[in-house]
Amino acid sequence: MNSVLALSLLGLLTAGMLIQSLVMQRRQIRRRLRQSLEAFGRAIELRFPCREGATERIVRLSVATSKRMGLSARHCSDIEMAALLRDIGLCAVPYRQINQVPIDRWDEEQQRRFADHPEVAAAMIELVPSLSRLAPLVRNQAACFDGSSGPQNPCGIDLPIGSRILKVVGDYVESERRMGAHLAADHIRSQSGRAYDPEIVETFLAMLRLQRGGDRARALVA
Amino acid sequence: MRSEARVSFWPVLAAGVAVGALSYVAYPMPIGLPAEAWVLLPLAMVAELLSVPLGRGGIRLSFPLPFLAGIAIVAGPFAALAADLALTAAGFGMICFAQRRVIAPRWLGYNSGIAALSCGAAGIVTTLIALPALQAIAFCAVYALINAVFVSRSSEFPLSKHSVVNTVREAYGPLTVYVALTVAVAVLAAEQQWWWCVPALLPVLALRGCMYLKLRMMEQYYETVSALTMMLQRAHPYTHGHLERVACLAEEVALRLGMQPKHARMVREASVLHDIGKIAIDEVILDKPAKLTDTEMEHVRKHAAFGAAIVAAVEPFHAMVPWIRHHHERPDGQGYPAGLRDIEIPVESKIIAVVDAYDAMAGGKAPSERRPYREPMAPAAALAELERCAGTQFDPTVVKAFRAVVEAAV
């Protein structure tokens, strides 16, 4: 009699703990991680209001692109996280440089400081154990596919696929804000094979045409 | 739990040997061990080797108690003690293997001492009770108590600062499950249904997974705090020492005001993060030695609201949002951003305000931390200044508690 009771206790405990740990806690960890990354992004958007909303859009477009390219779920979530983290290095760029000086009037020192921001972000990410695997993605986010961005980054398919996607999407979102969706797509297409991985450009543009990037109001022009 | 030895190595070892000898004399091991014991030993071994690191202090959490209690019940206290020693040795081997080097033999001696002490004492207690279920509960209680006392003494684990009672209060869920598991295994072993003890490994594994995720979540929480601080320091090279000192003082003041240790820890994190909104403020204005113009002041004042907005994105920080938003409010209503009056300001914000102001006045003696526009004050002068402003700029009760904390530290 006692052993029957004991056995059923065991069964109940196993089921309870399994549900608790495997389903609920896992989901909660993921949600909290995402929230922390959003907090970092929010800090940067408050510092540089001209980038407001860019992070969210880049995240959405790069996840959609990587899904369409058939990457694994793990890759997709890594790319999502890297997209949320890509701008945190901007906290080392002076406030006045971005908020008060137009980009085309930056001197050499300012350009260099801005170009360093992926490196700064990667250095910070490496210090956080649970994110350190994203550091290479963030470090190479601005690297050109043909290696023209300099010897500090690898080129071609040696670049992590996440960084190649982030480069295309990031540049698209930035030029879209400046010159509209249609011209931005043209710009991306013209640099395909030089700054961007042609395969990703093709997938990305096809996805924009089909889904309109989930943002009808802006993409209708295309 | 296994941990690094820091204090009282020889007394622990001696006590362990004494308990071992006592249980060997008083409860000699039966000549042929019962079959249950031979089944339970490898199960305990598996449970031991699947340990989870608890923070960075070198403490590892493992879950062999159900099987040890079973051994104690079917084969006597000395058998359980011997089994626990074997587990400690196995744990030692595993850590050496994982780190690819032989760690200090002191570790083995210290943990064997604790194991002998706690397992022997718990085993002896079980012989005084008849019912297996009660035996199991008593075994767990005695083992965990002795273990927790020694492990907490040996490290900087938060448990050492407060009491075992607080640990029980915070982790009562997993603890209850663990005790229930022990009861089940003990009953099965006592009824000689030893083959049913094998599937008991499943809930142990599930419990382990649960604890692992819980600890990861805690880790993530601290990582978020430190990553945000890192960003702030890149944007505005703030002194690391300032945040560190403010955090310690704020926690002490919160404890002195009678808050729960858990709540006081949150106050600590909030005071690390209180200026996080300065990420979004022009660092040239922040470091300007001269007096700020009105527009510049208005810009700087936004940092309280910005900080609250950044922190609000993260669920575990939700309680801190009002504390951070209002850390520049003053009891006389002259503060910002909302101009709240005395009783409308959360007490946590008042703590942060006092501690921050004190450290801005008195802290930063190192040359690298010196602010360009003024010299650090003596602590007594800074305290006097705080007291002069109590009632208008600071809350008198908090200032009083703060003085007590500073005076206790000297």
Side-chain angles (χ1 to χ4, degrees):
Chain A
M1 192 58 218
N2 273 346
S3 34
V4 172
L5 274 178
L7 273 179
S8 41
L9 181 59
L10 276 185
L12 275 179
L13 288 177
T14 321
M17 302 299 294
L18 279 178
I19 292 172
Q20 165 81 2
S21 71
L22 296 181
V23 183
M24 285 165 58
Q25 281 192 316
R26 227 161 252 277
R27 194 180 301 160
Q28 202 173 3
I29 282 190
R30 281 195 56 78
R31 202 177 64 229
R32 294 231 172 126
L33 183 59
R34 161 105 199 190
Q35 288 171 347
S36 308
L37 302 188
E38 273 168 19
F40 305 152
R42 195 179 287 183
I44 293 300
E45 287 183 358
L46 284 171
R47 183 171 170 82
F48 301 127
C50 59
R51 304 183 83 84
E52 207 170 337
T55 311
E56 192 49 46
R57 184 152 168 79
I58 290 174
V59 168
R60 237 184 313 133
L61 288 178
S62 45
V63 168
T65 312
S66 35
K67 274 192 187 141
R68 209 177 148 78
M69 296 202 56
L71 299 183
S72 66
R74 187 168 173 75
H75 261 101
C76 288
S77 88
D78 275 5
I79 290 171
E80 179 183 6
M81 288 197 273
L84 281 162
L85 285 171
R86 69 189 275 281
D87 277 346
I88 64 169
L90 288 178
C91 65
V93 179
Y95 183 87
R96 299 204 165 167
Q97 175 178 341
I98 294 196
N99 284 332
Q100 291 169 16
V101 186
I103 291 185
D104 47 348
R105 262 185 255 153
W106 285 353
D107 59 28
E108 220 151 85
E109 165 72 15
Q110 286 170 326
Q111 280 172 5
R112 192 187 51 74
R113 225 187 265 139
F114 185 81
D116 271 351
H117 90 259
E119 188 55 49
V120 172
M124 288 203 288
I125 291 169
E126 269 167 1
L127 293 178
V128 182
S130 60
L131 299 177
S132 54
R133 67 170 191 285
L134 303 173
L137 265 68
V138 175
R139 175 170 291 125
N140 295 314
Q141 59 167 298
C144 291
F145 187 66
D146 60 0
S148 57
S149 57
Q152 75 274 18
N153 301 115
C155 65
I157 54 169
D158 288 341
L159 282 167
I161 180 134
S163 336
R164 280 179 274 155
I165 293 179
L166 282 184
K167 168 84 172 156
V168 174
V169 177
D171 284 5
Y172 172 79
V173 170
E174 195 168 318
S175 26
E176 183 196 40
R177 201 189 61 232
R178 233 177 290 148
M179 48 193 167
H182 191 70
L183 290 178
D186 276 353
H187 169 74
I188 298 287
R189 198 175 294 118
S190 70
Q191 290 288 315
S192 170
R194 284 199 282 274
Y196 313 121
D197 180 350
E199 202 185 329
I200 293 174
V201 169
E202 201 177 301
T203 321
F204 176 68
L205 294 179
M207 183 204 70
L208 276 188
R209 274 195 299 275
L210 278 174
Q211 301 188 339
R212 316 244 145 139
D215 190 344
R216 290 192 81 80
R218 270 181 161 177
L220 271 176
V221 190
Chain B
M1 290 196 274
R2 308 273 179 235
S3 77
E4 311 271 351
R6 292 238 169 72
V7 284
S8 58
F9 176 71
W10 291 111
V12 167
L13 200 60
V17 171
V19 171
L22 177 70
S23 65
Y24 182 69
V25 175
Y27 307 97
M29 224 184 329
I31 304 297
L33 272 183
E36 294 84 15
W38 288 116
V39 175
L40 290 170
L41 182 63
L43 291 176
M45 200 68 93
V46 173
E48 166 76 27
L49 293 184
L50 291 168
S51 56
V52 186
L54 188 62
R56 301 267 155 79
I59 298 186
R60 300 186 76 84
L61 211 59
S62 58
F63 308 92
L65 266 198
F67 308 110
L68 283 181
I71 295 179
I73 288 168
V74 297
F78 186 71
L81 192 153
D84 202 9
L85 289 183
L87 295 189
T88 312
F92 180 73
M94 186 196 65
I95 294 181
C96 288
F97 178 74
Q99 300 191 355
R100 302 273 186 275
R101 69 187 172 90
V102 177
I103 56 173
R106 261 178 100 87
W107 187 96
L108 188 59
Y110 187 70
N111 285 297
S112 304
I114 296 179
L117 199 60
S118 41
C119 199
I124 291 171
V125 169
T126 57
T127 58
L128 308 174
I129 305 171
L131 214 61
L134 291 182
Q135 276 179 320
I137 295 175
F139 187 91
C140 281
V142 175
Y143 191 104
L145 203 66
I146 297 180
N147 209 306
V149 166
F150 281 101
V151 171
S152 68
R153 292 259 320 264
S154 73
S155 70
E156 75 272 31
F157 190 49
L159 205 136
S160 59
K161 227 174 179 177
H162 313 302
S163 61
V164 178
V165 179
N166 274 314
T167 319
V168 173
R169 190 185 289 156
E170 278 175 29
Y172 62 89
L175 282 176
T176 319
V177 170
Y178 198 34
V179 173
L181 256 172
T182 314
V183 168
V185 172
V187 168
L188 288 172
E191 302 220 333
Q192 300 182 335
Q193 311 267 6
W194 53 265
W195 54 88
W196 283 114
C197 290
V198 179
L201 209 51
L202 272 182
V204 170
L205 290 183
L207 184 65
R208 182 209 175 253
C210 215
M211 288 311 286
Y212 175 74
L213 290 177
K214 239 194 178 97
L215 292 171
R216 266 238 343 240
M217 200 130 59
M218 253 167 69
E219 192 108 308
Q220 209 170 290
Y221 175 85
Y222 289 114
E223 278 176 4
T224 308
V225 175
S226 65
L228 279 172
T229 325
M230 244 185 324
M231 279 174 76
L232 176 60
Q233 282 171 350
R234 287 311 292 252
H236 173 227
Y238 219 72
T239 52
H240 186 69
H242 171 70
L243 291 179
E244 197 63 20
R245 285 189 303 263
V246 166
C248 290
L249 284 171
E251 188 178 13
E252 294 292 324
V253 175
L255 286 173
R256 184 152 299 244
L257 285 172
M259 294 181 187
Q260 293 286 339
K262 207 172 169 180
H263 196 85
R265 263 202 102 67
M266 278 210 78
V267 175
R268 183 196 175 103
E269 313 310 342
S271 54
V272 171
L273 293 176
H274 76 275
D275 269 347
I276 203 71
K278 285 192 176 163
I279 290 181
I281 304 296
D282 186 351
E283 57 280 346
V284 178
I285 297 182
L286 283 179
D287 290 333
K288 193 172 157 186
K291 203 165 162 42
L292 301 182
T293 64
D294 281 352
T295 32
E296 284 171 339
M297 203 58 213
E298 205 170 299
H299 178 62
V300 170
R301 285 183 167 184
K302 283 184 190 156
H303 85 265
F306 282 165
I310 293 169
V311 167
V314 189
E315 215 175 280
F317 295 157
H318 277 183
M320 299 176 191
V321 174
W323 310 348
I324 291 177
R325 179 188 296 277
H326 299 307
H327 78 269
H328 277 295
E329 298 288 1
R330 300 167 42 146
D332 61 2
Q334 301 293 306
Y336 59 89
L340 298 185
R341 295 199 150 266
D342 195 4
I343 51 165
E344 299 165 326
I345 309 171
V347 64
E348 294 84 356
S349 306
K350 293 174 176 169
I351 296 176
I352 295 173
V354 169
V355 177
D356 191 33
Y358 173 80
D359 199 73
M361 288 190 284
K365 300 229 170 39
S368 63
E369 294 182 15
R370 225 162 258 262
R371 303 200 176 188
Y373 40 90
R374 51 151 209 86
E375 286 287 302
M377 284 160 95
L383 270 178
E385 177 66 20
L386 283 184
E387 265 159 12
R388 199 179 59 77
C389 302
T392 51
Q393 195 176 349
F394 305 113
D395 184 90
T397 329
V398 177
V399 172
K400 217 159 139 197
F402 182 72
R403 171 177 273 277
V405 167
V406 172
E407 278 169 358
V410 172

